[in-house]
Amino acid sequence: MAAWNGDPARRSGLAVVGGVLAVALCWPADTVLGADPQTYTTTVTPTGQAELDAAISASSSLLSLQKTHAVSPFALAGRIRNDYDRLRTALESYGYYAPAIRITVRPQGAKNAVAAASMDGTDPRLPEWLLAIPKGQAVQVTITPTRGEIFRLGRVTLVRASGDGTGPVVLNALESKALGVKAGQPAVASDVLTAGANLQSQLKEEGHALAQVDTPKAWLRPVTHTLDVEYTVRSGPVVTIGAISLSGMTRTHPAYIARRMTIHPNDLYQPSRIESARQDLAGLGVFSDVQVNDAPPLTAGRQMPLSMAFKEGKVRMVAVQGGYSTDLGGRAGVSWTHRNIFGNAERLRLTALVTGLGGSAQQGLGYDVYADLMKPDFGSRDQNLSVRVEGIRQLLYSYRQTALLVRAGVVRKLGQRWTVSFEGQAEQEHIDQMGISNDYTIVSLPLGTTYDSTGLDNPIDPATHGVRVAASVTPSASLINGMSFFTIMQANASTYFDLTHLGISRPGRSVIAVRGIVGSVQGASTFDIPPDQRLYAGGSATVRGFRYQGVGPQFDGSKYAIGGTSMDAGSVEFRQRLFRSFGGALFADAGQVGTGSRPFQGTLRVGAGAGVRYYTPIGPVRVDIAVPLNRPKRGDTWGLYLGLGETF
């Protein structure tokens, strides 16, 4: 180790190892080549600190290069001498500025590391000693680092480069707090370097667009085992956002993007708001990449111009979709999407599905064909217009339906968690049930609200925490044999608890999910409303193990469901992630359908089961098997459910 030269305060240069700061002392590497190659193996004695051991192993050239071809004895000796500096730098980066490093070499297979059979890595005779090793004999290199006493931060000084010749000025308390380091804490290099970056970020967030915090200067105090650190700061003036230039758009209307942006000229320059605006535009689904950069110099009015560069994504997309369950059978189809169809991020999607491919709740093949148009920022920001025209044919055991639906509605976000919606819907349908055919015309005005604190942008991603709540009220009128009015009210809630909070698993690996659903029809009895407007339970959305619409009143002597005017269901599911891409689940569901408008009446049905998950970049592929615990007459004995994403 280098001497202190009698100076109790030694100015040190700063090095970075894997993003960590260190005081570095350098030895020239020996690059002399010998005649015969020398093979070797390297062992590092643990220090007892796992992160430090990993840094030492990553820093050692002996370890990283030992799998390459053998080197000459002189080159191996140079590699050993070079490792002293590299290992010292790793130790210093964790605050150990007075370490001891010992490297010994001995012939491999020797039982005792006695003086005659081993050599210290600092011994000048090492190259000649290695030359004397018999040809073909490997050597064992042992690295033994000793941490020594940890150094702590002494004086932490913050100075401003004033630029007016008056010398440095001590920064204010707010800027000192932004550093996040203080005297007395371990002198870990990553903390010291991160503190400077934190201060620079804080200054920029306060509007100092040109703020710069230099790499800190450090002084070792070996007598007190401390490290004094000084940060030099150039804050620059407080600036506002200047002109914002847009480039790269060919199909998208720049005027729409300008209206959509959440930052504007003359706003205070804040990187967090600028980044939030970038992410907002990237989330429109129109661009494959959005970049925003400063465009210096500052204008005369102390404004920082910005340049935003856009790369538009593919306009058209074709997707294949499908699913299977033993009750609803298989469904398969294709969808075609045109994004940005009118240049304002509108999306048109055409979908055609074949349904009822087998299934215990189906009597034959059906179809589901629809066209969706979504227009963002309809009327105001964060308010989207959606329009759907849909044709349906489904041959269920409960009823056979052929229908045409048209609906249009507005969905508005209220902050990060709340969403409200309002729709108008008209439906013309023909329904056969138990040999009786009727035509219905139904108009309705659904009102809904949702709350989501899971923090997920993609609903297919499995939630590990938070709450989801959705509630709707749908006043409806059925135009048959005069006019009848009824209102359907539904609410469902789910919550997720990560067992890492109990200290028994890693984050996101073990989760308990709970769901509850309740529904009620007001203003009409069961047979006063069309069969498709009644409430049903059974299937993956409510009670697994029972077929779709298999829970609730049924017509005598059949498995035809009548439906009801009240419904409630609940689920408890334990989800365990296994390895990197697999997982499993255990669950129990229960639910009932009643003929009155008050929920929690009827015959309670319970199902239970298990499933496996395969996690893909677009979400988990789900396979669940469930059995009914109190199966009704003519009910299914088990159910299989395949899909993308969790059930809730």
Side-chain angles (χ1 to χ4, degrees), residues 427-497:
E427 179 179 358
Q428 178 65 49
E429 62 181 359
H430 177 82
I431 292 182
D432 295 323
Q433 186 179 52
M434 296 296 291
I436 300 175
S437 297
N438 282 301
D439 292 314
Y440 298 93
T441 300
I442 303 169
V443 293
S444 57
L445 298 173
L447 304 172
T449 183
T450 63
Y451 173 84
D452 190 338
S453 63
T454 60
L456 298 176
D457 295 328
N458 184 0
I460 295 179
D461 292 335
T464 59
H465 67 278
V467 174
R468 287 174 175 156
V469 179
S472 65
V473 176
T474 307
S476 303
S478 176
L479 309 180
I480 179 175
N481 298 326
M483 182 179 293
S484 62
F485 296 92
F486 57 94
T487 299
I488 302 173
M489 299 185 295
Q490 286 188 295
N492 65 76
S494 58
T495 186
Y496 311 88
F497 181 76

Side-chain angles (χ1 to χ4, degrees), residues 161-454:
S162 61
D164 57 8
T166 60
V169 179
V170 177
L171 296 185
N172 60 45
L174 179 61
E175 293 167 326
S176 299
K177 183 180 179 180
L179 273 174
V181 294
K182 59 184 179 180
Q185 74 178 64
V188 177
S190 58
D191 294 341
V192 175
L193 289 175
T194 300
N198 290 342
L199 177 57
Q200 181 169 301
S201 297
Q202 179 63 33
L203 289 170
K204 287 181 177 289
E205 199 63 24
E206 294 171 359
H208 298 276
L210 302 179
Q212 180 179 344
V213 178
D214 294 344
T215 300
K217 302 171 185 177
W219 288 267
L220 279 174
R221 308 289 183 181
V223 174
T224 58
H225 288 90
T226 57
L227 181 74
D228 294 343
V229 182
E230 178 184 285
Y231 297 89
T232 300
V233 180
R234 295 169 176 81
S235 58
V238 174
V239 304
T240 57
I241 295 174
I244 304 174
S245 63
L246 309 176
S247 63
M249 289 181 286
T250 58
R251 296 180 297 271
T252 308
H253 297 154
Y256 167 70
I257 298 301
R259 293 194 305 270
R260 172 81 188 189
M261 280 197 298
T262 57
I263 55 173
H264 307 90
N266 299 318
D267 288 350
L268 179 67
Y269 180 98
Q270 292 181 291
S272 63
R273 288 194 60 202
I274 295 172
E275 173 59 17
S276 178
R278 187 199 69 80
Q279 292 182 6
D280 177 72
L281 295 175
L284 285 174
V286 173
F287 306 108
S288 60
D289 187 41
V290 178
Q291 296 292 331
V292 58
N293 295 289
D294 295 345
L298 295 180
T299 64
R302 289 188 174 180
Q303 289 191 322
M304 174 63 76
L306 299 179
S307 65
M308 301 193 75
F310 300 86
K311 183 178 180 181
E312 293 180 328
K314 294 181 179 180
V315 176
R316 299 172 183 83
M317 180 178 66
V318 176
V320 176
Q321 56 180 291
Y324 177 80
S325 62
T326 52
D327 54 354
L328 288 176
R331 57 190 289 122
V334 62
S335 64
W336 176 88
T337 302
H338 191 304
R339 292 182 287 193
N340 208 19
I341 187 169
F342 301 125
N344 297 315
E346 302 92 348
R347 185 187 68 223
L348 174 65
R349 176 174 294 161
L350 305 178
T351 303
L353 296 170
V354 177
T355 62
L357 299 171
S360 60
Q362 300 276 4
Q363 297 188 63
L365 292 178
Y367 59 78
D368 189 359
V369 180
Y370 54 89
D372 281 323
L373 176 65
M374 189 279 292
K375 180 176 177 55
D377 303 318
F378 177 73
S380 66
R381 180 181 168 79
D382 290 330
Q383 182 169 279
N384 300 335
L385 170 68
S386 63
V387 179
R388 170 177 282 200
V389 179
E390 183 173 14
I392 297 175
R393 178 169 173 78
Q394 50 183 347
L395 306 181
L396 303 170
Y397 271 107
S398 303
Y399 54 82
R400 298 186 175 201
Q401 177 193 33
T402 303
L404 175 65
L405 298 88
V406 178
R407 67 187 186 196
V410 173
V411 179
R412 181 172 180 81
K413 290 187 65 175
L414 302 177
Q416 293 294 321
R417 297 182 176 183
W418 286 96
T419 302
V420 295
S421 63
F422 171 79
E423 283 187 352
Q425 179 174 300
E427 179 179 358
Q428 178 65 49
E429 62 181 359
H430 177 82
I431 292 182
D432 295 323
Q433 186 179 52
M434 296 296 291
I436 300 175
S437 297
N438 282 301
D439 292 314
Y440 298 93
T441 300
I442 303 169
V443 293
S444 57
L445 298 173
L447 304 172
T449 183
T450 63
Y451 173 84
D452 190 338
S453 63
T454 60

Side-chain angles (χ1 to χ4, degrees), residues 10 12-15 21-25 88-89 92-93 97 218 220 227:
R10 177 166 65 87
S12 62
L14 300 177
L21 171 77
V23 177
L25 303 173
R88 181 176 288 106
T89 299
E92 289 174 345
S93 71
Y97 288 93
L220 279 174
L227 181 74

Side-chain angles (χ1 to χ4, degrees), residues 38 45 72 121 140 198 233 390 401 456 460 524 535 538 598 625:
Q38 177 66 63
T45 304
S72 71
Q140 173 70 49
N198 290 342
V233 180
E390 183 173 14
Q401 177 193 33
L456 298 176
I460 295 179
L535 300 179
R598 181 174 55 84
I625 297 178

